[in-house]
Amino acid sequence: MTISPPKNPVMRYGFLIGLYWFTFNTMLVFANMLYQSQGFSNYELGIASTCTALSNVVAQPLWGTVCDRMPRIRKVIVLGLLCAMLATLIRFIGSGGRWMIVLSMCLVNFCFLPMSSLIDAWINRMNANGMRINYGPTRSCGSVGGMLGSLIFGVLVDHFGIVIMVPAFILCSIALILYVFTLYEPTAVIAAKKKTAGQDEETFGEVLKKLLRNRQYLILVFTYMFCMAALNSANTFLSVKVADLGGGFWEFGTINAITAGCEIIFLVFLPKITRRIRPQGIMAIGFFFVMVRVICLALANSMPAIQLVSMLHGPSIGMMIGGVVTYLSAVVDRKSYFTAQTGFAALSGTGQILGGYFGGVISSYVSVNSMILIMSILPAIGFAVMGLNFLSVRKRDRERV
């Protein structure tokens, strides 16, 4: 069956992203709440968070490298979803206890979470090969899907228990697979293979070397990594704060619904924002609000206060989601979009590993609030470095004119 280019690509590919994040919020968003319900201590919670983040770090560049070598990637996305569905069943094998749940979540993260980066890079690459997909409004559909998933499954898990998570994840993954096969995908321009490359053609190895020497790319990766370390340490122990205040899956789901909802306005207006502000400036603004958000979360000591702080997700991550894609489009060769996107995600995942682990270690000696406050130093560093980078780029561009 021949699939024609869609008349409304924002809705077609937006529904894909929305369904993806809806599926994510059936189970993965509640991972830390799930671990805590199994009786994990603060230190064990940090270790579990570190393990799941590590699985994502290892997976991202592997999936990305495969996709950059292929002119079409729909089957790669489907393969990842199938493997993630199988990985959910690991927890039911034998009597491995609660750490078998961590192993299962690690494998699900390995197969499922990189698909988010692949879909972003896929849209970027399709645009470079003739499509006209407006990323900001398209990605905002993912926020809608995430918001609905958090609210619906927060209620359902509190009512029926964690037993519904796996069946819900599998059913949504099947729906996602079926939908992927209905999408149009133009054949992409990819790097030549080393054995068949012509004299003037770049091989994938040469494209990769260029990426590793790309100063703007490296600045983005390491500043974002710092911010994710702080944010993950805060989000990992957010479940502890929610539980201490008497909250459950519904309250945690409400917080995630607020964060997803606050992304939407910034993603919808991303085209206007990118016309007025350089990508480096967008990222600097996002890093600043990550710092403010982490500090405010440390000081929040009631459910209404935590929900209010969650609204800062909009000017922080909401700005950064679109900012990253715009940034990569501006500084990266289109033949290495997937490697650049997933390499970036892997190193930001390294930040999550460090944040989860050191958050667990530090919170074993001081209060959770004090630990979160200490970690706010990291996004402050990211903001300073990216801010200086923005000023440097603006100055250089003015001198050229």
Side-chain angles (χ1 to χ4, degrees):
M1 181 179 67
T2 302
I3 302 174
S4 302
K7 294 181 180 179
N8 190 339
V10 169
M11 292 303 298
R12 287 286 286 162
Y13 296 97
F15 187 79
L16 168 69
I17 300 176
L19 186 54
Y20 171 88
W21 286 108
F22 186 89
T23 304
F24 179 89
N25 284 327
T26 61
M27 182 170 65
L28 294 177
V29 74
F30 297 111
N32 292 324
M33 291 289 289
L34 178 62
Y35 298 151
Q36 195 175 13
S37 71
Q38 301 298 309
F40 280 60
S41 66
N42 282 359
Y43 178 73
E44 289 173 330
L45 190 62
I47 294 296
S49 177
T50 299
C51 290
T52 51
L54 179 60
S55 65
N56 184 41
V57 168
V58 174
Q60 291 278 2
L62 295 178
W63 288 104
T65 301
V66 169
C67 288
D68 266 328
R69 293 173 180 269
M70 298 182 67
R72 297 182 186 273
I73 67 153
R74 284 191 305 172
K75 292 180 180 179
V76 179
I77 294 175
V78 169
L79 176 63
L81 294 172
L82 288 172
C83 291
M85 289 164 56
L86 291 173
T88 60
L89 305 177
I90 296 293
R91 70 182 68 185
F92 302 114
I93 297 175
S95 56
R98 58 186 187 172
W99 287 100
M100 190 62 75
I101 295 177
V102 177
L103 174 61
S104 175
M105 294 299 286
C106 286
L107 293 174
V108 174
N109 267 270
F110 185 93
C111 301
F112 186 83
L113 203 52
M115 297 305 112
S116 171
S117 298
L118 296 187
I119 292 170
D120 285 344
W122 190 28
I123 290 173
N124 236 349
R125 190 171 78 169
M126 286 192 290
N127 281 336
N129 286 277
M131 293 286 285
R132 293 291 182 269
I133 306 171
N134 194 328
Y135 178 79
T138 303
R139 179 59 181 79
S140 70
C141 296
S143 302
V144 174
M147 181 172 61
L148 292 174
S150 294
L151 288 173
I152 292 170
F153 287 97
V155 173
L156 293 178
V157 174
D158 263 342
H159 186 74
F160 295 104
I162 61 176
V163 68
I164 71 164
M165 287 183 170
V166 170
F169 179 84
I170 290 175
L171 287 174
C172 289
S173 294
I174 292 172
L176 194 52
I177 288 170
L178 295 175
Y179 187 73
V180 167
F181 278 121
T182 70
L183 294 172
Y184 172 78
E185 178 184 13
T187 302
V189 176
I190 61 174
K193 294 182 179 179
K194 190 172 183 180
K195 292 181 180 179
T196 60
Q199 188 173 359
D200 298 325
E201 288 184 296
E202 286 185 308
T203 64
F204 180 73
E206 290 168 338
V207 171
L208 184 59
K209 288 177 183 177
K210 282 172 58 179
L211 180 65
L212 296 176
R213 292 194 298 265
N214 189 322
R215 180 171 173 268
Q216 285 298 314
Y217 176 71
L218 295 177
I219 289 174
L220 172 68
V221 164
F222 287 103
T223 52
Y224 198 92
M225 183 175 71
F226 274 30
C227 287
M228 287 302 101
L231 203 54
N232 190 53
S233 64
N235 287 337
T236 296
F237 292 92
L238 176 60
S239 58
V240 175
K241 295 191 68 164
V242 169
D244 289 344
L245 293 169
F249 283 89
W250 159 245
E251 286 76 12
F252 195 75
T254 302
I255 291 169
N256 282 282
I258 292 171
T259 60
C262 290
E263 288 176 357
I264 295 173
I265 187 169
F266 290 92
L267 288 166
V268 168
F269 287 99
L270 177 65
K272 292 185 177 181
I273 294 172
T274 53
R275 283 197 294 267
R276 297 174 185 273
I277 308 174
R278 288 180 173 85
Q280 292 83 356
I282 294 173
M283 297 308 299
I285 293 169
F287 292 162
F288 171 78
F289 280 103
V290 169
M291 177 186 69
V292 173
R293 179 182 173 187
V294 172
I295 292 172
C296 290
L297 185 60
L299 301 176
N301 283 310
S302 67
M303 282 303 303
I306 291 174
Q307 290 168 339
L308 189 62
V309 171
S310 298
M311 296 177 69
L312 289 171
H313 186 88
S316 56
I317 300 300
M319 285 282 281
M320 289 158 58
I321 289 172
V324 166
V325 173
T326 305
Y327 196 115
L328 292 176
S329 296
V331 304
V332 169
D333 187 319
R334 68 176 179 172
K335 295 176 184 176
S336 60
Y337 274 153
F338 286 99
T339 301
Q341 182 79 38
T342 53
F344 156 80
L347 284 172
S348 67
T350 302
Q352 292 177 320
I353 291 172
L354 297 174
Y357 178 75
F358 285 109
V361 171
I362 295 171
S363 62
S364 297
Y365 297 96
V366 301
S367 68
V368 168
N369 288 337
S370 297
M371 177 275 294
I372 295 174
L373 201 57
I374 291 169
M375 298 298 282
S376 67
I377 296 171
L378 297 178
I381 295 172
F383 166 65
V385 173
M386 186 57 77
L388 291 173
N389 183 42
F390 167 72
L391 294 175
S392 174
V393 170
R394 188 175 67 169
K395 180 181 177 182
R396 186 182 63 217
D397 289 347
R398 285 181 175 177
E399 289 174 349
R400 287 176 180 173
V401 174

